[in-house]
């Protein structure tokens, strides 16, 4: 079968696009390894529009169930395999045709929406996996308010780290930022604004060695790289801001990527540099990455796909 549209990725962007595709009766296949996104580990999300508070797992379940309720026989769901190859070719009439390889399965479609998301660069420290979602946090916007009136730390030295620190300073008791070197990568104005807060402290030349706790984080041990001494700091939250890695390895040479591996898109239409391919969500070069934004751009991409398919 040749689908009108193939959506690659089952996060908020992909599911939103698929629901709209079904409502518009656009013959679609959604190909995804799973519906779990970065937020699945969050115990409570307070900024998903329509839910005052919802766990990451409940959010994933609700989105998937929403799609299942509307997919009818319009949207096919191919779950369980990661896409390894996307190729652009032509059909027997000379029109663009894309071929998607996912595991042992091959799918063909006239248009593509890529919504493969990204994954956080993980902190390499003893206990980081054990306390992931139990004090080790990769999204301050999602989970930060849960740490109100508590002592927390931020790991990183770029704008994202300092912006996270400033967000946390609005409600946390104290925020300590750990910088591996002695220079910041953040803008001087951003650094100055954060450092002006009396609740903020920076530890330079620090390497996080271990994250400790019982059920939840209770402290971190870091190595002072100048003195080579290990120091323990009591904190209940470790906010990691050391970069995002977009899930775009299979797209090299297919669409234009920036230096970070993110897909370059037109912010008006979500089109990529390659005709017939759109992209949405955390795999793109949009400035802000959030569930609500991903869902909105998934819908934007779908609307433009539908317009292109039915206006030519």
């Amino acid at each position: 079968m040749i689908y009108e549209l193939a959506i690659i990725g089952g996060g908020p962007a992909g599911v939103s696009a698929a629901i709209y595709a079904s409502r518009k009766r656009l013959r679609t296949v959604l190909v995804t390894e799973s519906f779990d996104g970065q937020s699945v580990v969050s115990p409570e999300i307070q900024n998903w529009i329509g839910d005052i508070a919802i766990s990451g797992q409940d959010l994933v379940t609700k989105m998937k169930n929403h799609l299942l309720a509307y997919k009818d026989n319009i949207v096919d769901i191919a779950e369980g395999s990661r896409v390894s190859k996307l190729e652009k070719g032509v059909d027997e009439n000379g029109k663009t045709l894309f071929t998607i390889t996912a595991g042992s399965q091959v799918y063909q479609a006239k248009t593509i929406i890529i919504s493969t998301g990204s994954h956080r660069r993980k902190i390499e420290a003893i206990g980081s996996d054990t306390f992931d979602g139990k004090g080790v946090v990769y999204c301050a916007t999602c989970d930060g308010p849960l740490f109100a009136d508590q002592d927390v730390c931020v790991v990183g030295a770029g704008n994202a780290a300092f912006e996270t620190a400033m967000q946390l300073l609005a409600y946390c008791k104290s925020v300590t930022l750990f910088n591996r070197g002695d220079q910041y990568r953040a803008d001087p104005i951003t650094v100055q604004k954060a450092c002006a807060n009396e609740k903020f402290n920076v530890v330079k030349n620090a390497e996080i060695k271990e994250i400790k706790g019982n059920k939840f984080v209770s402290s971190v041990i870091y190595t002072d790289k100048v003195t080579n001494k290990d120091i323990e700091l009591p904190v209940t939250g470790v906010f990691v801001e050391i970069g995002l890695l977009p899930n775009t390895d299979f797209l090299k040479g297919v669409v234009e990527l920036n230096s970070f591996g993110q897909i370059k898109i037109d912010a008006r239409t979500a089109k990529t540099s390659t005709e017939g391919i759109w992209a949405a969500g955390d795999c793109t070069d949009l400035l802000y990455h959030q569930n609500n934004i991903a869902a909105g751009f998934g819908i934007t991409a779908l609307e433009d796909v539908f317009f292109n398919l039915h206006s030519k």
Side-chain angles (χ1 to χ4, degrees), residues 194-212:
C195 291
N197 193 307
E198 60 182 13
K199 297 191 297 180
F200 183 64
N201 181 47
V202 175
V203 181
K204 296 181 179 180
N205 299 301
E207 187 83 39
I208 302 297
K209 180 178 181 179
E210 184 176 358
I211 300 169
K212 298 177 67 176

Side-chain angles (χ1 to χ4, degrees), residues 4-7 13 16-18 20-21 24 26 28 110-114 264-280 295-312:
E4 291 179 278
L5 168 67
I7 300 170
S16 298
Y20 269 62
K24 290 180 178 290
L26 204 62
T28 301
K110 298 176 183 178
T111 58
I112 302 289
I113 294 177
I114 301 166
K264 292 186 177 183
I265 65 168
D266 178 345
R268 291 181 66 249
T269 62
K271 285 182 177 178
T272 71
S273 60
T274 300
E275 186 69 25
I277 302 180
W278 287 253
F297 268 89
I299 294 166
T300 297
L302 188 280
E303 293 283 9
D304 207 57
V305 167
F306 185 83
F307 175 78
N308 276 263
L309 285 172
H310 290 275
S311 65
K312 296 180 180 179

Side-chain angles (χ1 to χ4, degrees), residues 5-10 13-14 17 31 83 86 98 100 111-117 247-248 250-251 254-255 257 263 265 270 272 274 276-284 297-298 301 305:
L5 168 67
I7 300 170
I8 304 174
V31 186
V83 172
L86 174 61
F98 294 96
I100 303 153
T111 58
I112 302 289
I113 294 177
I114 301 166
S115 54
T116 48
N247 302 318
T248 57
F250 69 101
L251 294 170
V254 179
V255 296
L257 307 175
I263 304 168
I265 65 168
T272 71
T274 300
I277 302 180
W278 287 253
D282 288 8
C283 62
T284 71
F297 268 89
V305 167

Side-chain angles (χ1 to χ4, degrees), residues 156-158 162 177-188 191 202-206 225:
F162 277 88
L177 185 142
F178 290 108
N179 184 357
R180 292 182 63 182
D182 57 7
Q183 300 293 323
Y184 304 125
R185 297 194 306 274
D187 298 328
V191 173
V202 175
V203 181
K204 296 181 179 180
N205 299 301
K225 294 163 67 177

Side-chain angles (χ1 to χ4, degrees), residues 121 244-246 248-249 252 255-264 283-285:
R121 190 187 299 275
L244 284 170
L245 299 173
T248 57
D249 287 348
K252 292 176 181 177
V255 296
E256 186 177 359
L257 307 175
N258 66 14
S259 59
F260 301 104
Q262 298 168 322
I263 304 168
K264 292 186 177 183
C283 62
T284 71
D285 65 346

